[in-house]
Amino acid sequence: MKIFVTGTAGFIGFHLARRLLADGHEVTGYDGVTDYYDPALKRARLALLGQERGFRPVEGMLEDAAGLSAALEQSEAEMVIHFAAQAGVRYSLEAPQSYVQSNVVGTGNLLEAMRVAPPRHFLFASTSSIYGGNTKLPFAETDRADGPVSLYAATKKAGEAMVHSYAHLFGIPSTCLRFFTVYGPWGRPDMAPIKFASAILEGRPIDVYGHGQMRRDFTYIDDLVAAIDRLKNLPPEIGKSVAHDSLSPVAPFRVVNIAGGRQTELMDFIHAIETALGQKAELNMLPMQPGDVVETQSDTALLQALIGHLPETPVEAGITRFISWFRDYYRKET
């Protein structure tokens, strides 16, 4: 199958593209390789994908409507998977326009490009941050999610709304994937695992927000990719629902959480990193950051109903694999 994937130089897009290529699909990867974080890491990911038969990279920005449309048309894609975005909750306080342009305008450009030749399935990367300050746990896809507490979450919510409208108006079968704290090898350097591991090895204190009282539904990258790989073959159809479904009554559209449904205390996550490194962390305990939430947990009933499988890698095992990659890529030694 020919598949168009945006964000293939990014963390999750890279891993999914590698899985698709290994399965024999042809992948056109569209990415702007921006400098939000070290482009060398992005280039290293693309270099690995470039070694695989069937990969065709296109460098371009989502905001370039003409370039994006041309790349999509040339790919002759039967499926479109949209991961490219300006990521990060905290950075949205510093550079709000980059989120609006990439996540709202860019997503709108892609949706417009798909009108010409709608794919058999469009998958859109969303986020658990959409649930905002919800106090009901676990978060279910049918819960209200109209109170985002960060601009990043707001732009993703806007993206979901646009995707629904295009699914309704133009019959594009669409699935919005809400990710829960994804981690693993080749992760972003602005995410906690790399920040914590680097600081511990360099003898610097790590900033622990929420005074360490936060809890997250951590999802290991390989588990996430396995779930997406199964979901890609399940385009929504109006009137064909499953148990616990979020299927729209007026469009071939659904929202799906991807996570294991298990909470991990932040301090336990830090302890797993300490154990894998064989070195204790110096902790700098701080209050909650603006735009952050105390805890997340996914309701996994819909995911299980659709694919019969849930992310299951224990945090300790996932962190061990992450640290192995981290030491190799950054040549870090104790």
Side-chain angles (χ1 to χ4, degrees):
M1 185 188 302
K2 295 180 179 179
I3 304 176
F4 188 84
V5 181
T6 70
T8 43
F11 173 37
I12 299 173
F14 158 72
H15 278 279
L16 180 68
R18 189 159 62 169
R19 169 67 178 263
L20 295 173
L21 291 164
D23 289 344
H25 299 291
E26 296 180 35
V27 175
T28 295
Y30 190 89
D31 200 293
V33 195
T34 64
D35 61 359
Y36 165 59
Y37 61 85
D38 186 8
L41 178 59
K42 300 181 180 183
R43 297 288 181 193
R45 296 181 186 128
L46 288 175
L48 284 178
L49 293 177
Q51 296 173 12
E52 303 292 331
R53 181 179 180 181
F55 181 65
R56 186 175 76 90
V58 178
E59 191 164 326
M61 300 293 288
L62 295 173
E63 296 88 331
D64 177 8
L68 177 59
S69 181
L72 179 59
E73 182 179 3
Q74 291 167 13
S75 75
E76 300 179 337
E78 303 160 70
M79 183 177 296
V80 177
I81 304 176
H82 182 33
F83 288 158
Q86 177 57 62
V89 169
R90 292 165 189 165
Y91 186 62
S92 65
L93 293 169
E94 303 173 27
Q97 273 302 317
S98 67
Y99 288 78
V100 173
Q101 292 301 313
S102 178
N103 301 359
V104 180
V105 175
T107 297
N109 288 340
L110 181 58
L111 289 167
E112 272 294 291
M114 288 191 297
R115 285 180 58 181
V116 179
R120 66 172 66 172
H121 195 184
F122 173 58
L123 294 95
F124 171 72
S126 191
T127 173
S128 62
S129 295
I130 275 181
Y131 292 109
N134 282 13
T135 56
K136 170 191 167 292
L137 291 172
F139 299 150
E141 294 88 347
T142 52
D143 290 344
R144 291 181 65 89
D146 51 6
V149 296
S150 71
L151 180 62
Y152 167 64
T155 60
K156 283 297 186 178
K157 178 64 176 177
E160 287 189 2
M162 291 191 296
V163 171
H164 182 274
S165 67
Y166 274 71
H168 168 70
L169 293 170
F170 308 110
I172 303 174
S174 301
T175 300
C176 292
L177 310 169
R178 290 180 180 170
F179 302 152
F180 283 68
T181 317
V182 186
Y183 74 100
W186 295 98
R188 301 198 322 261
D190 64 316
M191 297 169 68
I194 290 183
K195 292 172 70 174
F196 288 172
S198 295
I200 291 170
L201 289 178
E202 293 167 9
R204 295 183 286 107
I206 63 174
D207 291 338
V208 182
Y209 293 99
H211 298 287
Q213 300 302 306
M214 292 192 292
R215 293 166 293 280
R216 291 288 183 269
D217 198 336
F218 290 99
T219 312
Y220 186 63
I221 184 63
D222 289 356
D223 293 336
L224 181 88
V225 167
I228 296 170
D229 187 57
R230 297 187 188 196
L231 287 168
K232 80 180 192 307
N233 300 316
L234 299 169
E237 298 180 57
I238 298 176
K240 294 187 177 181
S241 62
V242 300
H244 313 285
D245 216 338
S246 61
L247 184 70
S248 169
V250 296
F253 170 97
R254 69 162 48 96
V255 174
V256 184
N257 290 337
I258 302 184
R262 296 176 298 275
Q263 285 189 324
T264 298
E265 298 280 348
L266 177 58
M267 295 308 300
D268 290 339
F269 189 75
I270 292 171
H271 180 65
I273 295 175
E274 292 175 321
T275 300
L277 290 172
Q279 191 169 329
K280 294 290 290 182
E282 180 184 345
L283 308 179
N284 181 29
M285 309 302 277
L286 297 169
M288 290 287 292
Q289 283 273 93
D292 219 340
V293 297
V294 174
E295 58 184 331
T296 65
Q297 184 180 6
S298 170
D299 185 321
T300 58
L302 175 56
L303 180 64
Q304 190 158 26
L306 288 168
I307 67 173
H309 169 84
L310 294 177
E312 57 189 10
T313 300
V315 163
E316 295 78 10
I319 286 296
T320 297
R321 297 172 199 168
F322 162 75
I323 291 298
S324 177
W325 166 81
F326 174 80
R327 287 189 183 279
D328 180 65
Y329 182 80
Y330 290 101
R331 298 293 188 269
K332 301 278 187 181
E333 301 295 338
T334 56

